[in-house]
């Protein structure tokens, strides 16, 4: 029996078949994969920033409550009968609300609002829930603290230099910007309880709770 070879079978090159051409990787597939990787990396960066920022607020609450010897001296914490607002607000010496802050210093309602703000924002950020509420509350808190320190002032009430390094943007503004960015980016869905929180009936029906 003779074997008939197909002409051109042993040629030095082959034209791609229609089937092979159809299964070749398209440029869009690589782009999609890269985009997905970049999106995941961005979500993780925001999640990390969220947790770190939340720890800042939580640490401030704990130190002021128990007097761990950092910003609050040992034995002078809120739990020991100290006031978390008296020292700071009574020391305000510049800005349009100087006398107002002096009158608020050490007031019970001011202590509770300040401490609940630190605790609420810290827990929300670390857990990844209610980031919009945290952004509003945290921004308001940072705004009051910015006014209390009043960076635009070059001199304090006694005439001494204020040592302000920037009249507009200081760390309070940066914290507020971070809080808003985390809320806009829905940063609680990665490494947090944001998805579970968003599925709750009350939260699902009221977007401002997310």
């Amino acid at each position: 029996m003779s074997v008939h070879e197909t002409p051109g079978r042993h040629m030095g090159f082959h034209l791609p078949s229609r089937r092979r051409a159809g299964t070749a990787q398209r440029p869009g597939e690589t782009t999609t994969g890269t985009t997905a990787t970049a999106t995941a990396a961005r979500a993780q960066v925001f999640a990390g920033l969220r947790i770190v920022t939340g720890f800042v607020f939580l640490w401030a609450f704990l130190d002021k409550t128990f007097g761990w010897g950092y910003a609050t001296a040992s034995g002078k914490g809120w739990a020991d009968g100290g006031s978390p607002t008296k020292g700071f607000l009574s020391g305000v010496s510049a800005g349009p609300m100087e006398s107002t802050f002096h009158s608020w210093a050490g007031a019970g309602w001011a202590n509770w609002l300040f401490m609940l703000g630190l605790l609420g924002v810290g827990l929300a950020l670390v857990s990844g829930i209610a980031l919009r509420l945290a952004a509003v509350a945290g921004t308001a808190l940072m705004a009051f603290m910015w006014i209390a320190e009043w960076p635009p002032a070059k001199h304090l009430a006694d005439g001494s230099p204020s040592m302000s390094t920037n009249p507009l943007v200081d760390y309070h503004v940066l914290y507020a910007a971070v809080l808003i960015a985390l809320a806009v980016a829905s940063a609680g869905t990665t490494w947090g309880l944001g998805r579970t929180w968003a599925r709750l009936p009350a939260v699902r029906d009221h977007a401002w709770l997310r």
Side-chain angles (χ1 to χ4, degrees):
M1 183 176 68
S2 62
V3 177
H4 299 281
E5 296 182 355
T6 303
R9 174 169 296 187
H10 296 290
M11 294 176 62
F13 67 94
H14 300 276
L15 294 176
S17 65
R18 186 180 301 273
R19 181 179 178 180
R20 289 179 180 175
T23 58
Q25 186 180 38
R26 293 172 296 179
E29 293 176 344
T30 302
T31 303
T32 302
T34 302
T35 302
T37 301
T39 300
R42 184 165 55 248
Q44 292 172 358
V45 169
F46 272 107
L49 179 62
R50 187 198 81 232
I51 294 171
V52 170
T53 306
F55 180 74
V56 171
F57 281 85
L58 277 183
W59 178 266
F61 170 81
L62 293 172
D63 182 56
K64 292 180 183 302
T65 299
F66 301 108
W68 284 346
Y70 289 88
T72 305
S74 178
K76 294 186 177 181
W78 196 25
D80 301 312
S83 171
T85 63
K86 186 174 183 179
F88 176 68
L89 292 182
S90 62
V92 173
S93 56
M97 294 184 63
E98 179 181 351
S99 59
T100 301
F101 284 131
H102 288 172
S103 66
W104 291 356
W109 64 267
N111 292 336
W112 277 97
L113 282 180
F114 179 59
M115 295 299 281
L116 288 177
L118 291 177
L119 178 62
V121 173
L123 289 177
L125 291 177
V126 171
S127 62
I129 66 174
L131 295 186
R132 295 184 182 182
L133 284 176
V136 173
T139 298
L141 181 60
M142 292 298 104
F144 274 107
M145 295 181 71
W146 185 91
I147 295 173
E149 293 194 9
W150 199 246
K154 293 182 179 180
H155 298 86
L156 302 179
D158 61 1
S160 61
S162 66
M163 306 303 292
S164 175
T165 59
N166 190 307
L168 297 176
V169 180
D170 68 348
Y171 66 98
H172 298 106
V173 177
L174 291 179
Y175 277 129
V178 168
L179 291 172
I180 294 171
L182 293 174
V184 172
S186 298
T189 57
T190 299
W191 301 345
L193 302 175
R195 295 186 189 278
T196 302
W197 175 260
R199 287 196 292 265
L200 296 177
V203 179
R204 187 174 60 245
D205 296 337
H206 302 85
W208 58 273
L209 291 174
R210 296 177 185 174

